């Protein structure tokens, strides 16, 4: 019998997909650091029964219309704004993501970015490596305190909650805003729910962890930065498009806010000429929130398991479109 075909849109380590290879024909885009061109993707999806996709692949109506045999798409990310989930559901395709396995790793990076921005760690590293260090001085590279300050978390999902847990170790006051209350964070971590307006105007650190949706697109704009404290530091480890980047640039340049730590950008990748990268009070990272060896391997493994489950008629472990589950897994 002909083996089912799994197409992977980026080169993954061979041993990470061994189990998948034992059951299916696995085809892969051969480059590690370069996204699959659109025309190649359009071609390959026509021959595939399942896909492992990256957050950099736009899985829109056109791609989905070409994916007539695809039963499951496993996206190597917790976010899934790159996929037209509504249309995929109409087409009967299961969409799987990788929540939970990346929660702690992403929270570590988010908190590290906060610390690096507040204490100017990257700037200080460059200063010393460029041979600019002439001696100790009282206010050399002085930054902002983290301990006992107020952190405001916008998007209190699993990652937000674990960032809050880290903040308790720094004796921070924790505010959050979310569509729904997170009682676990309130009871266990002492986080206080507040309105978005209150959060942005009173926090020393405004940390964005909200998924990108039509409601959160450009949520952080000129008016919002204006309401923040002039000493505020903005951290974004969610999606770039949640921010109006031109407005953020203006706010940083004019001193409306003090700094920004950014792991994500509106259109990725960005080049060194991007205006935000010209500012000394910006710490920028190339979307590496979940990038530890262990976590990336766990994410790949979860994608593989989800694909194996769906292609063998079982329920996936993590699914985005729960409607798919109800329709296809009637016995559950
Ligand atoms: C990363 O940004 C993810 O959504 O996993
Ligand atoms: C966002 O991705 C969250 O889980 O909070």
């Amino acid at each position: 019998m002909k083996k089912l075909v799994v197409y992977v849109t980026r080169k993954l380590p061979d041993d990470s997909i061994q189990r998948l290879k034992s059951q299916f024909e696995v085809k892969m885009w051969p480059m590690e650091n370069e996204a699959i061109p659109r025309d190649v993707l359009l071609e390959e999806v026509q021959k595939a029964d399942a896909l492992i996709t990256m957050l950099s692949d736009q899985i829109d109506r056109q791609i989905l219309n070409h994916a007539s045999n695809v039963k499951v798409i496993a996206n190597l990310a917790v976010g899934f704004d790159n996929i037209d989930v509504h249309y995929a559901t109409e087409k009967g395709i299961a969409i799987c993501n990788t929540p939970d396995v990346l929660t702690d790793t992403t929270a570590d990076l988010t908190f590290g970015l906060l610390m690096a921005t507040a204490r100017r760690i990257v700037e200080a590293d460059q200063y010393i490596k460029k041979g600019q260090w002439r001696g100790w001085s009282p206010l050399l590279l002085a930054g902002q305190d983290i301990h006992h300050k107020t952190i405001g978390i916008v998007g209190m999902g699993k990652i937000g909650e674990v960032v809050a847990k880290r903040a308790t170790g720094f004796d921070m006051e924790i505010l959050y805003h979310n569509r729904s209350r997170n009682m676990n964070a309130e009871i266990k971590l002492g986080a206080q729910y507040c309105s978005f307006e209150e959060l942005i105007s009173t926090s020393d650190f405004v940390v964005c962890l909200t998924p990108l949706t039509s409601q959160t697109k450009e949520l952080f704009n000129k008016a919002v930065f204006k309401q923040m404290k002039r000493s505020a530091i903005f951290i974004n480890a969610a999606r770039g498009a949640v921010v109006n980047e031109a407005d953020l640039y203006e706010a940083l340049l004019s001193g409306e806010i003090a700094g920004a730590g950014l792991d994500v950008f509106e259109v990725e990748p960005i080049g060194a000429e991007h205006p935000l990268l010209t500012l000394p009070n910006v710490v920028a990272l190339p979307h590496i929130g979940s990038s530890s060896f262990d976590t990336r391997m766990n994410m790949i493994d979860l994608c593989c398991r989800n694909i194996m489950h769906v292609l063998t008629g079982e329920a996936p472990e993590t699914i985005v479109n729960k409607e798919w589950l109800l329709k296809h897994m009637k016995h559950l």
Side-chain angles (χ1 to χ4, degrees), residues 10-217:
R10 195 69 66 96
K11 180 167 172 51
L12 300 177
D14 269 333
D15 53 347
S16 71
I17 52 159
Q18 255 338 306
R19 274 206 297 168
L20 212 52
K21 275 184 159 169
S22 66
Q23 283 190 59
F24 309 109
E25 182 187 343
V26 180
K27 292 180 70 186
M28 217 184 262
W29 170 244
M31 316 281 272
E32 199 181 320
N33 294 316
E34 230 172 88
I36 185 169
R38 180 88 185 170
D39 54 331
V40 180
L41 183 58
L42 277 170
E43 183 72 28
E44 293 294 347
V45 296
Q46 298 181 45
K47 298 175 271 179
D49 299 286
L51 303 172
I52 296 183
T53 55
M54 309 298 124
L55 55 84
S56 45
D57 304 318
Q58 285 309 315
I59 308 297
D60 53 20
R61 291 178 85 96
Q62 190 194 19
I63 297 280
L64 293 168
N65 281 335
H66 281 65
S68 38
N69 293 322
V70 170
K71 285 154 212 75
V72 51
I73 299 176
N75 203 42
L76 189 72
V78 64
F80 44 82
D81 50 278
N82 59 309
I83 301 176
D84 188 337
V85 176
H86 185 78
Y87 195 57
T89 307
E90 252 177 54
K91 295 242 151 211
I93 301 172
I95 303 297
C96 300
N97 64 339
T98 62
D100 308 325
V101 291
L102 50 56
T103 300
D104 281 301
T105 300
T106 307
D108 286 349
L109 192 280
T110 306
F111 210 82
L113 185 54
L114 181 156
M115 295 186 74
T117 311
R119 297 301 304 273
R120 304 171 64 183
I121 290 173
V122 178
E123 214 181 324
D125 174 81
Q126 287 167 355
Y127 178 87
I128 193 167
K129 284 180 181 164
K130 281 186 193 151
Q132 292 171 326
W133 194 20
R134 296 281 172 263
W136 187 89
S137 72
L139 290 177
L140 178 62
L141 288 155
Q144 313 259 9
D145 273 328
I146 297 159
H147 65 87
H148 296 97
K149 293 290 175 98
T150 298
I151 184 173
I153 299 173
V154 178
M156 192 61 121
K158 289 172 186 159
I159 300 170
E161 192 178 320
V162 179
V163 168
K165 186 174 172 195
R166 281 145 183 66
T168 62
F170 287 76
D171 300 312
M172 296 178 93
E173 181 149 353
I174 304 164
L175 303 178
Y176 79 96
H177 183 74
N178 200 50
R179 271 178 311 182
S180 53
R181 296 279 285 262
N182 182 327
M183 295 322 284
N184 206 36
E186 293 191 28
I187 294 161
K188 284 211 186 125
L189 306 170
Q192 297 170 55
Y193 177 84
C194 67
S195 69
F196 183 69
E197 286 67 31
E198 186 183 346
L199 184 147
I200 55 171
S201 58
T202 57
S203 297
D204 299 300
F205 297 93
V206 176
V207 178
C208 172
L209 286 164
T210 187
L212 173 62
T213 64
S214 49
Q215 281 90 47
T216 63
K217 193 166 166 35

